[in-house]
Amino acid sequence: MTSGEDLHPLDAATGLISLGDGYEGRTSDAYWNLVGPFGGVTAAALLRAVLDSEGRRGDPAAITVNFCAPIAKGAFEIAAHSVRTNRTTQHWTVTLKQNEAVAATASVITAARPETWQCQLLIAPTAPPPDTLKSFAAGLSGWTDRYDFRFVEGEPELKAAPSDKALETKSVLWVADRPARKVDFISLCAMSDCFFARIFHARGALVPFGTVTMSTYFHIDASDLAAEEPAPLLGVADAAIFTRGFSNERAELWSAGGRLLATNSQLVYYRD
Amino acid sequence: MTSGEDLHPLDAATGLISLGDGYEGRTSDAYWNLVGPFGGVTAAALLRAVLDSEGRRGDPAAITVNFCAPIAKGAFEIAAHSVRTNRTTQHWTVTLKQNEAVAATASVITAARPETWQCQLLIAPTAPPPDTLKSFAAGLSGWTDRYDFRFVEGEPELKAAPSDKALETKSVLWVADRPARKVDFISLCAMSDCFFARIFHARGALVPFGTVTMSTYFHIDASDLAAEEPAPLLGVADAAIFTRGFSNERAELWSAGGRLLATNSQLVYYRD
């Protein structure tokens, strides 16, 4: 873990100390959520354990994170193991524990991406430039202050009582780290989870919720990502269904130039 | 593992013998794919290990399967462990080995689904009744014969040479086990992977491919699923992007009555 005044809060929050057979990390108040760390930062710390591991081949192609239990403020341990190395892909299993109890598990696939035929079918939504839009003031402390959100559509309007009729669930927004930070796999991984839970949008109110599992697929490698324009990225988030306590959400992150960088799907627990 | 003439091939292919601290299964020629078993059946066997485990609480809400290496014909071992049990959710990690080497890993979340506010935002496509459509003859042996596919749109037309221009990638089709079988979590899990790789549709040709990781979310519990009409289910599959050897695919499975039963997202490796 590097320290210093210039360390970006995201790097401080996801920094790991090698323990030889694993890593130690520590939760960050800068990315605190209501009852635990912002899930995107936990995902990024799990990814960092793989990126920091000796013998890692290629760049992240996919990460699935299962949020098993709330993470308390303080230290946690991460163990990352490569379970299979193929010619172009490598499979990792990652476990985050606090006080010997599993709080999160992850699988990560890294890949040396070959040159192939390619085609992007999904098209980025059109959006006015970010500097023509207001920065969203969430009015919450913690992780939401670590992002500059500029809504193109679907800005949440939270009321005291949840709506019985489903309100609009789709959001399109520009998003950037605050303070600004280059986009790499750590920030892209965290950002793939930065969209407010769709249940807030559907009901127009804060209700109890938490991501149970999420998968982020990366559609770019490290060298192409480093060559991309800096953030903000354009994000799209929506939900397919809310049923019996769980909702199915999806999100996309696009470069300003319209390149699809990452997609996320997640199952979110909710109550009420 | 139950045996007998009446055992459905899917139950034979996913049947497990308890070894005390794990399970033994065996690949099935009836679900063979080009270089290994049909991935949906491997996923279903991994899910069955959890369903068969003592102490399992609730019904499957999510399964992520990472296909680490080809599975050879013959026996394999599955170990399933619950890593965390919460009030309404339980987290499992599952590993499939052959000759001591990891061939697949999975995480499964089971849940006792609460009664909550609910809303299905995604709407099933309209489709003519299945009996007015031709059954698709894949002309391949193995797993494709185990499904009755009836395409509403996007039936694949495979030529010898891949198309440079991307062809239509979306398919809408009725799908049922062949022979008929009731829809439960085992068949729903397998069926969530039954869509032909979108790269075949995009290029109009068979090219090397394989699912690397996939996540299926279930939007129904066991009692509601048992009360649903029998198959065929209506399936929708599409892709978002093909880039540098990997494509991002999504699929949905709907009841004939328009209820969203399961969603799948996957990252598929392809060449050429």
Side-chain angles (χ1 to χ4, degrees):
Chain A
M1 198 183 297
T2 321
S3 66
E5 280 177 29
D6 291 344
L7 195 64
H8 189 281
L10 182 63
D11 295 299
T14 59
L16 301 174
I17 298 169
S18 174
L19 302 174
D21 63 343
Y23 299 92
E24 184 179 291
R26 180 166 285 274
T27 63
S28 160
D29 289 347
Y31 285 92
W32 198 250
N33 196 355
L34 304 170
V35 296
F38 162 51
V41 153
T42 301
L46 290 157
L47 182 62
R48 196 187 283 279
V50 170
L51 295 180
D52 283 1
S53 288
E54 250 182 79
R56 188 253 308 171
R57 292 202 204 162
D59 296 319
I63 178 171
T64 293
V65 181
N66 303 292
F67 298 95
C68 304
I71 296 171
K73 288 198 178 192
F76 52 79
E77 288 186 13
I78 298 180
H81 299 286
S82 68
V83 294
R84 189 91 185 202
T85 299
N86 299 315
R87 202 162 36 146
T88 55
T89 58
Q90 193 174 40
H91 285 261
W92 295 81
T93 62
V94 194
T95 307
L96 186 154
K97 288 185 180 182
Q98 246 183 349
N99 301 319
E100 299 301 309
V102 174
T105 64
S107 51
V108 173
I109 295 154
T110 55
R113 301 186 81 121
E115 296 298 333
T116 59
W117 178 86
Q118 48 191 347
C119 177
Q120 182 180 298
L121 297 164
L122 207 61
I123 303 296
T126 54
D131 58 10
T132 65
L133 298 164
K134 264 204 337 273
S135 182
F136 179 69
L140 308 162
S141 57
W143 77 273
T144 57
D145 287 343
R146 299 280 70 77
Y147 289 100
D148 182 7
F149 298 114
R150 292 171 190 251
F151 281 87
V152 175
E153 62 177 88
E155 179 168 321
E157 291 179 43
L158 303 183
K159 303 224 162 82
S163 168
D164 278 338
K165 184 175 166 291
L167 307 174
E168 179 59 47
T169 54
K170 183 179 176 184
S171 294
V172 177
L173 62 157
W174 292 102
V175 58
D177 284 295
R178 183 193 279 159
R181 183 188 179 283
K182 72 175 191 302
V183 179
D184 60 10
F185 285 107
I186 294 295
S187 56
L188 199 55
C189 180
M191 220 180 264
S192 74
D193 187 41
C194 81
F195 305 96
F196 299 141
R198 296 297 105 184
I199 189 71
F200 297 173
H201 292 257
R203 308 219 64 193
L206 289 170
V207 297
F209 85 101
T211 299
V212 177
T213 183
M214 71 173 204
S215 294
T216 297
Y217 301 154
F218 301 102
H219 306 301
I220 191 164
D221 71 7
S223 62
D224 281 3
L225 187 55
E228 275 291 330
E229 308 145 79
L233 304 182
L234 189 60
V236 180
D238 205 351
I241 191 171
F242 303 89
T243 187
R244 303 275 306 275
F246 293 91
S247 74
N248 186 174
E249 307 191 357
R250 67 169 183 88
E252 299 140 18
L253 283 169
W254 304 83
S255 73
R259 178 166 179 171
L260 184 60
L261 303 178
T263 45
N264 174 280
S265 59
Q266 55 180 267
L267 193 68
V268 177
Y269 151 116
Y270 70 92
R271 288 298 172 269
D272 289 4
Chain B
M1 200 182 299
T2 321
S3 67
E5 281 178 29
D6 292 344
L7 195 65
H8 190 281
L10 181 63
D11 295 299
T14 60
L16 301 174
I17 297 167
S18 175
L19 303 174
D21 62 343
Y23 299 92
E24 184 179 291
R26 180 166 284 277
T27 63
S28 160
D29 289 347
Y31 286 91
W32 199 250
N33 197 356
L34 304 170
V35 294
F38 162 50
V41 152
T42 301
L46 290 159
L47 182 62
R48 196 187 283 279
V50 170
L51 295 179
D52 283 1
S53 288
E54 250 182 79
R56 188 255 307 173
R57 294 201 202 161
D59 297 318
I63 179 170
T64 293
V65 180
N66 302 293
F67 298 95
C68 305
I71 297 171
K73 288 199 178 192
F76 52 79
E77 289 187 13
I78 298 181
H81 299 286
S82 68
V83 293
R84 190 91 185 203
T85 299
N86 299 315
R87 204 160 36 145
T88 55
T89 58
Q90 194 172 41
H91 285 262
W92 295 80
T93 63
V94 194
T95 306
L96 187 154
K97 289 185 180 181
Q98 244 182 351
N99 301 321
E100 300 300 310
V102 174
T105 63
S107 50
V108 173
I109 295 155
T110 56
R113 301 186 80 118
E115 295 297 335
T116 58
W117 177 86
Q118 48 192 347
C119 178
Q120 182 180 298
L121 297 165
L122 206 62
I123 303 296
T126 54
D131 58 11
T132 65
L133 298 163
K134 265 205 337 271
S135 183
F136 179 70
L140 308 164
S141 57
W143 77 274
T144 58
D145 286 344
R146 298 280 71 74
Y147 290 100
D148 183 6
F149 298 112
R150 292 169 190 253
F151 281 86
V152 176
E153 62 176 87
E155 179 167 322
E157 290 179 45
L158 303 183
K159 305 225 161 83
S163 169
D164 278 336
K165 183 175 168 289
L167 307 175
E168 179 59 46
T169 53
K170 183 179 176 184
S171 293
V172 177
L173 62 156
W174 292 102
V175 58
D177 284 296
R178 183 192 278 157
R181 184 187 180 282
K182 73 175 189 304
V183 179
D184 59 11
F185 285 107
I186 294 296
S187 55
L188 199 54
C189 179
M191 219 179 266
S192 74
D193 187 41
C194 81
F195 305 96
F196 299 141
R198 295 298 104 185
I199 190 71
F200 296 173
H201 293 258
R203 307 220 64 193
L206 289 170
V207 298
F209 85 102
T211 299
V212 177
T213 182
M214 72 173 203
S215 294
T216 297
Y217 301 154
F218 301 103
H219 306 298
I220 191 165
D221 71 7
S223 62
D224 280 4
L225 188 55
E228 275 291 329
E229 309 145 77
L233 305 183
L234 190 60
V236 180
D238 205 352
I241 191 170
F242 303 89
T243 188
R244 303 275 307 274
F246 294 92
S247 74
N248 185 174
E249 306 192 356
R250 65 169 185 87
E252 299 140 19
L253 284 169
W254 304 83
S255 73
R259 179 167 178 169
L260 184 59
L261 303 178
T263 45
N264 174 281
S265 59
Q266 56 180 264
L267 192 70
V268 177
Y269 150 115
Y270 69 92
R271 288 297 171 270
D272 289 0

